[in-house]
Amino acid sequence: MTPNDADHEFARLLKDVELPGVSRGDLAGLVRERFMRRRRRRGTIAAGCASVAVVATVVPLTVLGGHRSSPQPTAPASPLVAVGECAGTTVTANVTSAEGAEGSPRIEEIHGGEGNSALTVPVGGVIWFTADGPCADRLGYSGFAPLLGVSSSQGYVIGHVVVRDAVSPGRATVTVELLCGEASGDGACRPPGATDLAMVDVIVTGGTGTPAADLWHGQDGTVAAAERIACGPGPTGSNPAVAQEQRDTTMAPTGDQMSRMSAPHTTTPTPAPTPTPVPGERDYGEMRFAPPPAAAHPAVCAPLAIQLAAKGPTGVKGSAPIDVRLAVFSADDPAHINVDGSSTPYFTNVLAWEVVYAVDAVCYGLKGTCSSGPIPADGFTVVDATTGQVLVTEEVSRDALVAR
Amino acid sequence: MGGSSDGFGDFVAARQSSLLRTAWLLTGNWTSAEDLVQTTLLNVLPRWERLSREGNPEAYAHRALVNTYLSWWRRFRRREQPIESLPEPGSAEAGYDAVVLRDQLVRAMSVLPPRQRAVVVLRYLHDYSEAETAALLGIAVGTVKSQGARGLAAARAQLAAITQESSL
């Protein structure tokens, strides 16, 4: 069989393999229902954001004005839902010190009303809420947007609070709510909409080291802050990794390379180890931006980097930047793919400008149809701060970057 | 609720198998695939009227699906645990061979980095051209060429190894 035949054979397999025989039900109906629930919830989140938006600027742990004044319980603990068809529904907060941290999470039961003890979590920590009982699948949560992670409908995990590094120490309030459908109205719910069941403060501590914000040497993401960084004289030289990547992407693998890549490997390639997190690092998955050294002196100044980034990626129309920072950039991908299936990243510890912009529109066809966006997304372009070459352009979902 | 008066229900009914297949090949498990498709369609629904009037809803859905998948992977990658076999229920109708093949194929695809997996799926499952795949993923045509070729080769090699291993 030639490599070409084998390609066709593999493509046929992708198309023909039998899917698991799981009933799909009324998928469109399910999507509409989730859409309505999300729309209701989004309204609550927006309101919550407005009421506690000052939290992140108050450092550290200052008690805020507003309807809450004490992290300690002020009333006897009450069940989350005591009456009606939802009686017996419970919510538990699971708190870990860091995303992916090993060991058992600290578990706190959430009681109804405002009498919950505050949840203390360090920067980089994670809280997730799990629900149990008759109305577990109708629970949601809302809160200060930069603290909110993914709301999951899988199982009874009703939401994650991921305290990202960019969140300053401070306090925010998370509200657990019961979604109320038309059939509700049994005393636990006031339809239509959602009833707030419990409020719980989240206190974000600064962790053990230097606050993440300080490591960025005053860079707050604004163009003004980026322009204050000493720079010049202008682009110089070229990054050899860019040339390597261009060679890789323009030259098809040779027949010999293809044969070696297509030959059965005796062992499964070992996954690359997870890099050790750097304090203050902005981590987008396979791409990471670490704070630059204090003495970093980019040859390319911020305004030029923004201009270079504005050329934009294929298929995405970018607007003015919404975040610009000088950083030390590393990426697991893009990478050179070796014949044994392993990969060698092109870019490791490159002083670079990270330019983030909102994706105004998404072009999804070859004819430049761009008017039906946006997919909720941001994009970022990484510009080599020495050579001025664009290293990477990426589009990511908005909530992956929302905690800037 | 999933009525077809505005065409959205019809679109979902016609394309859900294709979208689920795509999502399953990307995520490697059925639960995540279903959630991924639902999340994708949540992005399509509010734009449906406009998409159906002037756009290409399927291409838009593919783009949204891949974008969401890559974002999920970024967020949850550290929780991914490689497993020997897939916790996927078999079905009475599905023959043993089909279940085995499905398991082998997903395991073979799982060795690819996420973006490479996306390129392979768009190119070889949906037959998008290199230029179309590049436009959908927001990357250069050259990257599609190299990632596609290498991804396909790696997946084929892995599949051959898995098949060989299970026939021993």
Side-chain angles (χ1 to χ4, degrees):
Chain A
M1 188 183 280
T2 67
N4 207 26
D5 290 339
D7 287 355
H8 287 302
E9 178 66 17
F10 193 86
R12 190 192 58 72
L13 200 57
L14 294 182
K15 293 182 173 102
D16 293 347
V17 67
E18 193 175 325
L19 295 179
V22 180
S23 166
R24 282 143 211 167
D26 176 14
L27 183 56
L30 209 58
V31 170
R32 286 181 203 276
E33 194 179 320
R34 278 186 67 178
F35 178 70
M36 294 308 292
R37 285 174 56 158
R38 190 170 74 166
R39 195 159 66 172
R40 282 200 295 270
R41 193 172 304 175
R42 187 169 284 170
T44 318
I45 289 172
C49 189
S51 64
V52 294
V54 293
V55 172
T57 63
V58 180
V59 179
L61 307 185
T62 306
V63 176
L64 300 168
H67 62 285
R68 305 297 310 277
S69 59
S70 168
Q72 299 304 317
T74 54
S78 57
L80 188 64
V81 184
V83 296
E85 64 183 8
C86 295
T89 301
T90 60
V91 168
T92 304
N94 305 262
V95 186
T96 69
S97 57
E99 195 169 6
E102 293 181 0
S104 302
R106 194 174 82 241
I107 294 173
E108 308 267 358
E109 188 175 345
I110 303 299
H111 303 290
E114 298 185 11
N116 287 287
S117 299
L119 301 173
T120 303
V121 59
V123 167
V126 179
I127 303 170
W128 71 94
F129 295 98
T130 54
D132 197 8
C135 294
D137 61 344
R138 286 169 49 196
L139 293 171
Y141 78 116
S142 61
F144 179 39
L147 286 179
L148 292 174
V150 169
S151 182
S152 167
S153 61
Q154 288 185 20
Y156 288 143
V157 177
I158 62 171
H160 298 80
V161 175
V162 181
V163 185
R164 298 187 188 282
D165 285 353
V167 174
S168 303
R171 179 191 295 263
T173 302
V174 171
T175 302
V176 177
E177 59 195 18
L178 180 66
L179 298 167
C180 310
E182 288 174 10
S184 303
D186 64 348
C189 223
R190 295 187 298 275
T195 294
D196 293 347
L197 295 180
M199 301 185 79
V200 56
D201 277 340
V202 174
I203 295 178
V204 182
T205 62
T208 52
T210 310
D214 291 357
L215 296 169
W216 287 91
H217 313 298
Q219 292 192 81
D220 57 6
T222 61
V223 174
E227 286 179 343
R228 282 196 292 270
I229 294 175
C231 60
T236 173
S238 64
N239 187 326
V242 174
Q244 171 71 46
E245 186 185 17
Q246 281 171 351
R247 276 197 302 277
D248 285 349
T249 55
T250 51
M251 287 165 45
T254 64
D256 178 48
Q257 284 173 324
M258 285 296 288
S259 302
R260 287 163 66 194
M261 283 194 285
S262 302
H265 303 306
T266 50
T267 55
T268 304
T270 308
T274 303
T276 307
V278 173
E281 187 176 66
R282 295 148 62 80
D283 184 347
Y284 299 155
E286 77 275 33
M287 299 187 193
R288 296 172 299 281
F289 297 88
H297 184 102
V300 175
C301 297
L304 177 59
I306 293 167
Q307 272 182 41
L308 294 166
K311 291 176 181 171
T314 309
V316 177
K317 282 186 174 176
S319 62
I322 54 178
D323 201 308
V324 183
R325 287 170 208 253
L326 183 67
V328 176
F329 171 64
S330 297
D332 302 332
D333 183 33
H336 175 74
I337 311 296
N338 303 306
V339 290
D340 65 355
S342 62
S343 59
T344 307
Y346 294 119
F347 308 118
T348 304
N349 295 330
V350 181
L351 187 66
W353 290 100
E354 175 202 8
V355 183
V356 182
Y357 49 85
V359 174
D360 290 337
V362 174
C363 309
Y364 47 84
L366 287 178
K367 294 177 183 171
T369 310
C370 302
S371 57
S372 292
I375 287 176
D378 286 340
F380 63 85
T381 296
V382 184
V383 179
D384 189 315
T386 305
T387 68
Q389 291 166 291
V390 171
L391 303 181
V392 164
T393 289
E394 188 75 2
E395 181 187 317
V396 296
S397 78
R398 180 144 291 165
D399 55 358
L401 287 174
V402 78
R404 276 183 306 277
Chain B
M1 211 164 181
S4 59
S5 59
D6 57 0
F8 180 72
D10 287 343
F11 170 77
V12 173
R15 302 293 180 213
Q16 69 179 35
S17 286
S18 164
L19 291 170
L20 283 164
R21 180 178 293 271
T22 307
W24 176 70
L25 285 167
L26 291 173
T27 62
N29 76 76
W30 192 251
T31 308
S32 297
E34 287 194 317
D35 209 27
L36 180 57
V37 169
Q38 283 187 31
T39 305
T40 298
L41 291 173
L42 274 169
N43 274 320
V44 173
L45 179 59
R47 300 171 182 89
W48 176 254
E49 192 183 330
R50 199 167 175 181
L51 276 172
S52 59
R53 193 175 61 239
E54 60 185 45
N56 178 345
E58 188 170 15
Y60 185 91
H62 284 150
R63 178 158 186 157
L65 191 146
V66 171
N67 179 297
T68 307
Y69 157 68
L70 290 171
S71 301
W72 281 7
W73 175 81
R74 284 192 182 93
R75 194 176 297 123
F76 296 119
R77 74 196 190 286
R78 285 182 188 153
R79 296 177 203 160
E80 277 187 4
Q81 296 292 328
I83 49 173
E84 283 297 316
S85 58
L86 298 170
E88 194 171 82
S91 74
E93 314 87 71
Y96 175 77
D97 289 349
V99 174
V100 170
L101 178 62
R102 196 160 67 213
D103 174 75
Q104 290 174 339
L105 184 60
V106 165
R107 284 168 64 192
M109 291 292 287
S110 72
V111 303
L112 305 184
R115 195 196 314 270
Q116 214 172 73
R117 218 182 295 180
V119 170
V120 169
V121 169
L122 291 174
R123 282 283 288 122
Y124 299 102
L125 172 63
H126 293 292
D127 295 324
Y128 282 114
S129 69
E130 286 166 345
E132 286 168 332
T133 305
L136 283 169
L137 288 171
I139 58 178
V141 174
T143 308
V144 171
K145 280 183 189 171
S146 64
Q147 297 273 299
R150 289 177 170 85
L152 191 63
R156 270 173 34 205
Q158 190 63 23
L159 183 63
I162 293 168
T163 312
Q164 213 168 57
E165 178 189 294
S166 55
S167 65
L168 290 177

